[in-house]
Amino acid sequence: QVQLVESGGGLVQAGASLRVSCTASGRDFRGYHMGWFRQAPGKEREFAAAIGWSGGTTYYADSAKSRFTISRDIAKSTVYLQMNSLEPGDTAVYYCAAAPANKQRVRESNWYVYWGQGTQVTVPS
């Protein structure tokens, strides 16, 4: 049974940094993309970043490119999203997801097969 378990969310002040983690289990993720999506209240889920599990190629949303860094530790079966200079607009539930590697579809949430339960990140204004 595939499980993606996020952790590390919380309430932080504007300008602070936070790292959220996703521990993956239940299958071999070689050949998969691991993605981070976020969903703010009243808004659609949006792509933030993704990384190839095997090769480590990274992909970012334009809004995340300058402040977010995605990485993975294969030995720990964990994917990280480091978020710097957080803004109130970053407030959302952050979801980890996994999909068969496809660079044309890496930003599409409906391409992803496995999802975690999400972790809340709140940046008060």
Side-chain angles (χ1 to χ4, degrees):
Q1 179 182 357
V2 174
Q3 283 193 307
L4 303 177
V5 181
E6 299 99 334
S7 61
L11 189 152
V12 295
Q13 298 304 308
S17 297
L18 190 69
R19 188 179 76 167
V20 291
S21 304
C22 170
T23 300
S25 62
R27 69 158 295 138
D28 184 348
F29 287 98
R30 284 179 292 181
Y32 270 65
H33 281 139
M34 307 298 291
W36 283 99
F37 290 77
R38 66 183 187 180
Q39 187 166 20
K43 295 188 177 181
E44 292 188 356
R45 191 170 298 188
E46 65 175 7
F47 171 78
I51 188 167
W53 186 260
S54 303
T57 301
T58 57
Y59 308 83
Y60 292 95
D62 288 343
S63 60
K65 201 173 296 184
S66 62
R67 298 183 296 118
F68 293 4
T69 302
I70 189 171
S71 62
R72 88 266 192 256
D73 184 330
I74 293 175
K76 294 183 178 180
S77 198
T78 300
V79 179
Y80 304 99
L81 185 67
Q82 175 70 42
M83 302 180 286
N84 299 326
S85 302
L86 284 161
E87 305 167 350
D90 296 316
T91 295
V93 177
Y94 284 72
Y95 295 94
C96 176
N102 184 321
K103 60 182 180 181
Q104 281 75 36
R105 303 196 66 175
V106 66
R107 293 174 175 81
E108 299 176 21
S109 63
N110 59 8
W111 179 245
Y112 285 74
V113 178
Y114 305 110
W115 289 86
Q117 82 288 350
T119 185
Q120 176 72 46
V121 173
T122 302
V123 187
S125 56

